[in-house]
Amino acid sequence: MSHANTPTPRRFQPGAPLTGRIAVPGDKSISHRSLMFGALAVGRTTAKGLLEGEDVMATAAALRAMGAAIVRSDDGTWIIDGVGVGGLLQPETALEMGNSGTSTRLLMGLVASHGVTATFTGDASLSKRPMGRVTEPLSLMGADFTSSPGGRLPLTMRGAHPAVPIEYRLPVASAQVKSAVLIAGLNTPGVTRVIEPVATRDHTERMLTGFGADLSVEEIDGTRIIDIRGEAELKPQDIIVPGDPSSAAFFVVAALLVPGSDLIVANVGLNPTRAALFDVLRAMGGSIEELDRRDVGGEPVADLRVRHSELSGIEVDPAVAPAMIDEFPVLFVAASLARGRTVTTGLDELRVKESDRLAAMAEALTLAGANIEEREDGLVIEGTGGEPLRGTSGERVTTHLDHRIAMSMAVAGLASRDGVEIDDTSPIATSFPTFEALLAQALAA
Ligand code: S3P
C-alpha cells in the first residue's frame, strides 16, 4: 500500500488558538507489533485502537500474504488469527512496503527464520534507505539476501530454517534492528542475544513478554542485554493500543507556539523510551501538564494539557535522542520560535529516516524565515523569541515523501505570519490519517 501518487499541496495558515480536547490515534510502533505478534501466536488476538495508517496497513497486507487472517470488525477492533511461530507461508507476490521502514525491517526479521522466500519493495523514499543494518545480522543467522545496489530495496531474501542463534551488539541505536534480530530469534532454536549499548524503544521486549515469549532483559552500566529463547510459542492477547506520542508531538508543539492555545491531547503513550520530547519542551519553558496518568495495555498513558508558553532555547543532550528520535523535526519548529539558541548534536540517524531530516528541515525552516545552521550531526537554531516566522510566499516547502516533515511544517505554518505552503500532504496518511481533521477540530473548538 502506498499513498496517493498525485501530490496534494496545501497552505497552513495562522489563525485561531488550539483549544478543546483531541485524542491522537494509536501508536504506530505498537500497532505494527500487535499485528506481527498476533500473526505468530496460536489462536485469536484482538487489538483495539490500532493505528489505521498506510504503514500499519502495509504490515497487515504482508502478514495476510504469509497466511495470517487479519480483519477489522465493525466496532473498529482488529482480529488476528495467527499461524503460530514457524507457520508462515510462502507469499505469492512481492511484499509492498510503501513508505514503511518499520514494516520492512521487522518483517525481514520474521522471514529470516522461516523457510520462505520473500521480495520486499517500497516507494521512492523507502528505496533509498539502508537495509544493510538488518541484512547483516540476519545473514549471520543464516538468511540469504539479494539486494539492490547499496543494500537497498527492492530486495529478495530467503529465510533459514533452522536459523542459527547469534549474539549481536547493535552498531547503531535502532529499535528496528534490535527488533528484527529478536523477532528472528522467535523461530530460532536456542538463545538469541542482542546487546544494546544505548537504550531504544522497548515495545518489542514488553509485548513479546506479554505474548508469553521467554525473554529476559539485564541492564549492566546502561548496556541492555536481551535474550530470547526460541522456538517460542506465543499466546494470543487482547491488546489496547495507547495513543502515539510521536503524533501527539505535533499538537503539543502547535499549542505551545500559537498564542491563546489551551489544548488537551488525550490518551498519549508516555513510555520513557519514547517521551523525551515532552521533558525537553518543559525544560524550554513549555506548560505541559499530565492529567489522569494511568496504565493502558502495559504502557504508561496520560492526557496532556498544553498551554501557550514562551520558550527558551536549549542544548539538547544527545543521550536523550533515541527517546525522541522521531520528534526532532517538530522540536526544530519549536526552537525556531524560542528565545535564544538551540543546539542539537548526535543526530546522524536523522539523515536516514523517511528523508534526510536534518537537510529537509533546515531547508524548509529557512524557506519559512527561520534562522538555521545545518551541521553534520544536528541543527543550530537562533529562535525569534516568540515572533511568528515570516512564512513562505511563492515557494513551496518540499516534504520529500516524509510525513513528519509535512506535519512539522504545517505546525510552522500555524506559527507564522503569512502561512506555510507545503508541496504534498499525502505522506501524512502513512502515520496520521486524521491529522488534518483533528487540526480543524482543535482550531474550531
Ligand atoms: C521504530 C523505530 C525507530 C523509529 C521508527 C519506528 C520502531 O526507527 O524512527 O519510526 O517501531 O521500532 P530506528 O530503529 O531506525 O531508529
Side-chain angles (χ1 to χ4, degrees), residues 212-353:
D214 182 355
L215 182 145
S216 67
V217 183
E218 198 188 341
E219 197 167 323
I220 304 174
D221 296 335
T223 294
R224 296 172 80 245
I225 299 163
I226 308 149
D227 286 347
I228 187 160
R229 181 176 292 279
E231 299 146 295
E233 188 171 311
L234 299 187
K235 292 192 271 305
Q237 298 297 302
D238 293 315
I239 298 167
I240 301 174
V241 182
D244 197 327
S246 301
S247 298
F250 302 106
F251 283 92
V252 169
V253 170
L256 290 175
L257 295 183
V258 177
S261 296
D262 185 350
L263 180 71
I264 291 183
V265 187
N267 185 34
V268 182
L270 293 176
N271 178 316
T273 63
R274 295 287 300 283
L277 172 76
F278 306 125
D279 298 330
V280 169
L281 290 170
R282 283 191 193 103
M284 293 172 79
S287 169
I288 305 171
E289 207 182 324
E290 280 177 24
L291 308 174
D292 189 17
R293 200 172 163 101
R294 55 205 185 266
D295 188 279
V296 173
E299 298 272 351
V301 163
D303 302 333
L304 300 181
R305 180 177 180 192
V306 189
R307 278 173 277 192
H308 170 248
S309 308
E310 286 180 12
L311 301 179
S312 304
I314 191 171
E315 259 189 50
V316 181
D317 179 357
V320 306
M324 54 176 291
I325 196 67
D326 290 336
E327 284 65 76
F328 280 96
V330 79
L331 175 72
F332 297 147
V333 177
S336 297
L337 278 96
R339 179 176 304 108
R341 164 182 284 229
T342 293
V343 181
T344 57
T345 51
L347 302 181
D348 320 68
E349 275 296 299
L350 291 199
R351 296 208 181 269
V352 292
K353 294 293 179 189

Side-chain angles (χ1 to χ4, degrees), residues 28-29 33 102 105-106 129 133 173-177 179 201 325-326 349 353 404:
K28 181 157 74 73
S29 294
R33 288 159 174 82
T102 310
R105 295 188 176 126
L106 270 57
R129 299 182 66 187
R133 52 180 60 200
S174 166
Q176 293 179 356
V177 178
S179 302
R201 67 189 66 194
I325 196 67
D326 290 336
E349 275 296 299
K353 294 293 179 189
R404 300 202 199 282

Side-chain angles (χ1 to χ4, degrees), residues 355-372:
S355 67
D356 174 344
R357 287 183 173 161
L358 293 179
M361 285 306 295
E363 186 195 355
L365 281 168
T366 302
L367 195 67
N371 188 345
I372 313 282

